[in-house]
Amino acid sequence: MESKVPGGLKMKNLFRVLLAILLISTAASAADREDKDKDKQAERLQNAGTVMGEILNIPDNIPRDLLDKAKCIVVIPSVLKAAFVVGASYGRGAMVCRDGKAMTGSWGAPTMMVLEGGSFGFQIGGEATDFVLLVMGDRGATSLLHSKVKLGGDVSVAAGPIGRTAEADTDAYMRSEILTYSRSRGVFAGVSLEGASLRADKDGNDALYGQRISAERIVRGPSPAVPPAAQPLVALLDKASPAREHR
């Protein structure tokens, strides 16, 4: 004897199947988006490591004593002039800081950063420009970990000197909380970024570490492990300017 399934029950079962498919598809799409966001941050870290390595190999690069005194280093790779439009972010990269309460230890896990605003876009030619910023004092480092910082306003900033034997103890450099550099068309030099703003990239950090995490926690701890994509950059900095107790 053939059993009959009520039409209403068939519709309910069909609805459940369609709902399950939708939920699975949504979860898969979200996971794919998270993977793409994480890959994007990893690529930025790899580019930052490449840029820093190339700059440190330039004969007249950042003076060693400035590297040794720096609390943090920000690397913003491959900024294009096309990105310089009203309201747009000019560049994205990473900041690596020293471990320890006094920030004199080895270089730690990176926090992703965004550089925006200011008028320095007019200085950029048609090719990509890389920026490197040395954060020289505790105040500058603490400010960057907590809020958006205007260079030349919230913290003092100056174009950094170059050359292994450059005089880096002048009043201008000693008073500046952040020293700034650029590289374009193979030319590396100090550059003024006064008027620009620098802030932590919250979405970038969340994507990189797979959790909601603040720049403060990344740097001050309990710190996460250094992501694989950042290990070449951190190793490079540890070699170029090791922890104070290892010098």
Side-chain angles (χ1 to χ4, degrees), residues 15-186:
F15 175 76
R16 287 177 183 140
V17 171
L18 291 175
L19 181 60
I21 292 173
L22 178 62
L23 291 174
I24 292 171
S25 176
T26 301
S29 177
D32 183 58
R33 187 165 56 250
E34 288 176 359
D35 287 342
K36 287 181 179 178
D37 289 343
K38 185 173 183 177
D39 289 344
K40 188 182 296 183
Q41 305 312 317
E43 183 179 4
R44 286 178 181 144
L45 286 170
Q46 291 166 351
N47 290 340
T50 298
V51 166
M52 199 68 208
E54 291 172 352
I55 287 174
L56 290 176
N57 281 326
I58 295 173
D60 286 329
N61 60 32
I62 302 169
R64 171 64 188 269
D65 62 331
L66 287 182
L67 277 179
D68 290 343
K69 292 173 182 175
K71 303 291 185 179
C72 306
I73 294 180
V74 182
V75 185
I76 310 289
S78 303
V79 180
L80 295 170
K81 189 168 186 175
F84 286 74
V85 295
V86 177
S89 296
Y90 288 176
R92 294 176 182 270
M95 179 172 75
V96 180
C97 299
R98 294 186 184 276
D99 293 331
K101 188 175 181 180
M103 302 182 84
T104 58
S106 301
W107 300 93
T111 172
M112 307 308 292
M113 302 295 290
V114 178
L115 179 70
E116 57 195 357
S119 60
F120 61 92
F122 298 106
Q123 304 174 44
I124 293 181
E127 297 183 9
T129 298
D130 308 308
F131 293 100
V132 174
L133 296 81
L134 303 189
V135 184
M136 304 306 296
D138 293 330
R139 181 175 175 272
T142 300
S143 298
L144 287 172
L145 294 178
H146 290 97
S147 61
K148 182 176 182 177
V149 171
K150 185 173 182 180
L151 304 180
D154 299 318
V155 297
S156 57
V157 62
I162 61 170
R164 298 181 188 277
T165 60
E167 179 58 55
D169 291 329
T170 62
D171 288 344
Y173 303 132
M174 294 296 288
R175 289 197 308 266
S176 298
E177 293 167 290
I178 296 180
L179 299 176
T180 53
Y181 297 87
S182 73
R183 183 186 67 162
S184 181
R185 299 180 182 178

